[in-house]
């Protein structure tokens, strides 16, 4: 089996809810009935395979199917697993026409219902793609799908967040300065061993933060597998996983999206060495030109600092998964495979820092 097919098999679809996942189905059904006139049960739950941060479930009922997203049970790292922010974000964005699932019922912050905070949203039926190489598509189809992703990101960054009711969704000031501080704190809270490249980044990144010239909604994890595409055709019909969203520098999202172009293709989002007319996957320069045209930019600054930052942040995220494995709250069967990457991520981050002049 190839890496590509393995990713599609292990990360797409649902599995039965594990026996050690103690969601009270009757309490959930009662909560849903109290909030939607005419709601009818019974409900049936299955757990989505993907997702290592906030466990996510398919909720089937006789009349409509939903998605439930909750915080993990047990001890949580500070400010992590922010399903309340996710709910607020999609509730604000959905009326604007930006492609997010429709939220239902409201946010439940009462842990007595299922054991943790959760929300319920629309089940968007479409294609969830994990392999950035898009092996099942023709070159023109690949180009069109990548254009759809770039255009969707530009549309997010062009959204009037004040008009959407999100004017206070992020703190004022330099986004990267705040994020470096945040992920340093998150990393230290989850630290399990000393890693020299991370310590160097913790010292170097705050000293070299680039100037922020624009503010927008920032998704925080904008990549191919966090989108649902139409059943046929190159259209993004839903952007998922808004846990890391905030107001900030749109170059954070754009440079994170571009990380796929400097990541080896191993059945996930990486497309390094696969771009050009023969494959139909746009080059990094073509993607940049399209994004800049859609957002009114003359260009983007040197990307090496941004790549170093994004890999530092990803190191912090994966380190958090590693810590959750230790304390028993990791939610995905793929978690242990993910944490094996943490050392390589740190090394790669420092490599880009050196390119940026560190």
């Amino acid at each position: 089996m190839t890496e590509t097919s393995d990713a599609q098999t292990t990360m797409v679809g649902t599995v039965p809810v594990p026996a050690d996942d103690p969601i009270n189905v009757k309490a959930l059904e009662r909560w849903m009935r109290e909030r939607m006139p005419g709601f009818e049960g019974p409900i049936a739950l299955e757990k989505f395979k993907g997702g290592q941060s906030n466990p996510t479930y398919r909720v089937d009922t006789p009349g409509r199917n939903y998605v439930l997203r909750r915080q993990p049970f047990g001890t949580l790292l500070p400010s992590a697993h922010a399903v309340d922010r996710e709910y607020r974000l999609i509730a604000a964005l959905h009326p604007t026409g930006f492609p997010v699932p429709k939220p239902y019922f409201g946010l439940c912050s009462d842990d007595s219902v299922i054991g943790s905070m959760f929300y319920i949203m629309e089940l968007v039926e479409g294609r969830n793609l994990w392999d950035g190489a898009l092996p099942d598509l023709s070159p023109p189809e690949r180009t069109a799908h990548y254009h759809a992703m770039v255009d969707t990101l530009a549309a997010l960054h062009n959204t009037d967040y004040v008009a959407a009711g999100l004017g206070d969704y992020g703190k004022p000031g330099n986004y990267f300065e705040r994020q470096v501080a945040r992920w340093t704190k998150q990393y230290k809270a989850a630290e399990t061993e000393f890693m020299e490249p991370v310590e160097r980044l913790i010292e170097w990144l705050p000293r070299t933060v680039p100037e922020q010239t624009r503010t927008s909604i920032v998704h925080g994890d904008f990549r191919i597998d966090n989108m649902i595409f139409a059943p046929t055709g190159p259209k993004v019909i839903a952007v998922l996983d808004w846990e890391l969203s905030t107001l900030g520098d749109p170059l954070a999202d754009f440079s994170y999206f571009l990380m796929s172009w400097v990541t080896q293709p191993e059945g996930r989002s990486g497309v390094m060495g696969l771009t050009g007319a023969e494959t139909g996957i746009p080059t990094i320069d073509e993607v940049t030109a399209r994004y800049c045209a859609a957002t009114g930019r003359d260009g983007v600054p040197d990307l090496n600092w941004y790549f170093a930052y994004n890999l530092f942040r990803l190191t912090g995220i994966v380190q958090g998964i590693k810590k959750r494995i230790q304390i028993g709250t990791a939610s995905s069967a793929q978690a242990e495979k993910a944490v094996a990457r943490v050392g390589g991520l740190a090394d790669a981050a420092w490599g880009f820092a050196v390119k940026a002049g560190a």
Side-chain angles (χ1 to χ4, degrees):
M1 179 177 289
T2 65
E3 281 288 333
T4 300
S5 59
D6 182 62
Q8 285 296 127
T9 300
T10 59
M11 303 302 281
V12 176
T14 59
V15 294
V17 177
D20 60 352
D21 204 344
I23 289 184
N24 187 327
V25 174
K26 290 191 178 298
L28 175 62
E29 184 178 320
R30 183 168 57 250
W31 183 86
M32 294 171 72
R33 183 179 292 111
E34 289 171 353
R35 281 154 182 79
M36 179 173 283
F39 173 84
E40 293 185 6
I43 66 174
L45 288 185
E46 292 186 318
K47 190 172 185 178
F48 284 100
K49 295 178 184 178
Q52 295 163 2
S53 184
N54 290 324
T56 308
Y57 306 79
R58 179 180 175 124
V59 184
D60 291 337
T61 78
R64 187 189 296 269
N65 300 324
Y66 306 91
V67 171
L68 181 151
R69 193 154 158 89
R70 69 164 174 85
Q71 287 184 322
F73 300 132
T75 304
L76 304 179
L77 294 174
S79 78
H81 315 288
V83 297
D84 51 341
R85 288 179 61 80
E86 285 188 343
Y87 177 82
R88 181 185 173 190
L89 192 286
I90 66 170
L93 275 186
H94 187 266
T96 72
F98 185 83
V100 291
K102 181 178 180 180
Y104 291 99
F105 306 104
L107 176 74
C108 179
S109 57
D110 182 357
D111 288 354
S112 70
V113 179
I114 67 167
S116 64
M117 183 187 299
F118 71 91
Y119 68 92
I120 293 176
M121 60 184 170
E122 170 190 13
L123 175 65
V124 178
E125 299 282 5
R127 292 171 297 140
N128 189 211
L129 304 174
W130 283 80
D131 189 345
L134 302 176
D136 297 328
L137 302 183
S138 68
E141 289 172 329
R142 292 184 191 122
T143 302
H145 278 70
Y146 271 94
H147 285 174
M149 288 187 270
V150 176
D151 294 347
T152 300
L153 183 59
L156 175 66
H157 294 165
N158 288 336
T159 297
D160 186 336
Y161 57 87
V162 175
L166 295 169
D168 61 347
Y169 193 64
K171 296 179 181 178
N174 188 291
Y175 170 81
F176 284 111
E177 184 178 285
R178 290 184 282 114
Q179 288 295 298
V180 168
R182 175 191 176 183
W183 289 108
T184 297
K185 184 177 180 180
Q186 289 286 85
Y187 173 83
K188 287 297 184 181
E191 189 174 24
T192 56
E193 62 196 88
F194 179 84
M195 289 196 291
E196 180 66 31
V198 177
E199 299 304 318
R200 292 176 183 172
L201 289 161
I202 288 172
E203 188 278 328
W204 177 76
L205 285 168
R207 290 194 292 104
T208 54
V209 171
E211 180 186 3
Q212 179 173 333
T213 60
R214 298 188 182 193
T215 299
S216 73
I217 299 170
V218 171
H219 178 276
D221 197 12
F222 191 87
R223 63 187 190 210
I224 190 170
D225 54 280
N226 278 333
M227 289 171 253
I228 297 177
F229 293 84
T232 59
K235 181 179 181 181
V236 177
I237 58 175
V239 179
L240 308 176
D241 196 358
W242 294 86
E243 178 190 350
L244 300 175
S245 62
T246 187
L247 299 183
D249 193 328
L251 288 179
D253 268 348
F254 183 60
S255 61
Y256 181 79
F257 181 57
L258 292 182
M259 290 301 301
S260 295
W261 277 257
V262 294
T263 302
Q264 291 288 344
E266 297 177 341
R268 298 293 293 269
S269 62
V271 294
M272 187 168 70
L274 299 182
T275 64
E278 183 176 341
T279 64
I281 299 173
T283 66
I284 198 168
D285 288 341
E286 290 168 338
V287 169
T288 299
R290 188 176 183 92
Y291 174 80
C292 288
T295 56
R297 286 183 177 270
D298 295 331
V300 297
D302 177 77
L303 291 167
N304 284 309
W305 189 96
Y306 299 90
F307 289 162
Y309 157 77
N310 279 307
L311 285 170
F312 169 73
R313 189 189 69 150
L314 191 55
T315 300
I317 292 171
V318 176
Q319 184 64 41
I321 297 171
K322 187 174 183 177
K323 183 70 171 182
R324 293 206 310 279
I325 289 175
Q326 287 193 352
I327 62 179
T329 61
S331 71
S332 170
Q334 303 302 309
E336 292 193 22
K337 185 177 180 180
V339 303
R341 303 165 54 209
V342 67
L345 290 170
D347 289 340
W350 182 246
F352 281 114
V354 170
K355 293 179 181 178

